[in-house]
Amino acid sequence: MASLRHQIRGRRCPRITASVLLTCMITTSVLVVNFRSRHVSQVKHDQSLTYKTWLDHLCPRNKMREAKGHQLRLTWEAPSAESIFFMQTSCVDALTPREACAVESFAYHHPDRPILLLMTSVTINHTNPIMQVLLRLPNLRVAYLDLDALFVEEPLRAWHRDRNWLVVEETASVVLSDACRSELLRRYGGTYIDLDAIALRPLPGGTNWLAEIYDGRVTAALSSFSPGHALFQRVVDAIPRVFNPYDCCSIGPDLVTAEMRHLCPDAFPRIVTEERQGPAVCGDITVHPINSFYPINYDLGPRGFSQLLRPGTGQEFLKNTKAYSLHLFNSLTAKEVLYLGGGSIFEEVAKKYCPNVFQAQTSTSAVI
């Protein structure tokens, strides 16, 4: 009898297994079809920003509510070749005082040029005192940085669609900033400025320029290019191939430097020398020396940047510097607190070139 039951079970098991597998396959097929159907509708580019768009991946805490009360809804706007533009890719709805100082300083020195602030947050907090100051600048516009609208052309369309920038969530906003900068300059041209750079005087004239940075590299952190320039066509084409999510600079200054070496292999080694004091030329690109945009030595690290905060040094710096901007290197100085009233370099620069932001901040706080 036991043998008979064993034989029956042995014959029924394959049938049961087959039945279960068939059911699983049918269920999986239905789920895949439903998921694909939902996915297509969810990533459709429109103003509703429904669930599972890129914004939900980049900004998971942002619930995509309609703008209410303190929020002002933004719309996508591309820069023009005449624009000076900034990007905030961290999903915040208001700038920090230091970031706002950067924006005001460039508006201050370039009153006749359009200033564009692009933000990955679809809304901004227009009741924030710092944002209120910026929104009163006559030549500033604040717009939504819509990645679906920006990355519509290959090869970055597929790179963006597959969310390759999300491999390391902690650095996603930095990676996106590098990719967005290159694609914006390639498609639209204009002058790009990092949000941790404060203008000390009007930018150099002309277009198709960038700056040397340390370690024999160049950077587009402050740069100006005409639309469709060969350098950024090469950079954008290379991004999917060279992108390393575990390397901070793989599609930033490292890639820009590599492509500059391709464009002028003979001249480039002579261009990136720290002793050079004036601009150099690589094809139709002007390369400004380190001291033009980085008057504080990046190689010194956080201790070197303590001179930004040292009391009593600001007036002497302003009197002697010939730099176009002061770069704060947010990655090094963001956690450094500046107590106002000591006359540091950063305080004196902010007081002179972003006076409205400085006043708004000092009216409520003793630090910046």
Side-chain angles (χ1 to χ4, degrees), residues 242-284:
V242 305
F243 173 56
N244 178 357
Y246 304 102
D247 181 349
C248 72
C249 309
S250 69
I251 59 172
D254 287 357
L255 178 55
V256 174
T257 300
E259 295 305 332
M260 284 286 289
R261 289 182 182 277
H262 282 292
L263 289 175
C264 50
D266 297 330
F268 192 79
R270 297 192 300 273
I271 289 173
V272 287
T273 58
E274 294 193 17
E275 295 77 19
R276 185 168 57 86
Q277 298 299 309
V281 175
C282 167
D284 65 343

Side-chain angles (χ1 to χ4, degrees), residues 330-348:
N330 186 60
S331 61
L332 293 176
T333 62
K335 295 181 180 179
E336 298 286 340
V337 177
L338 171 61
Y339 292 91
L340 301 172
S344 68
I345 291 175
F346 180 71
E347 180 177 357
E348 294 301 319

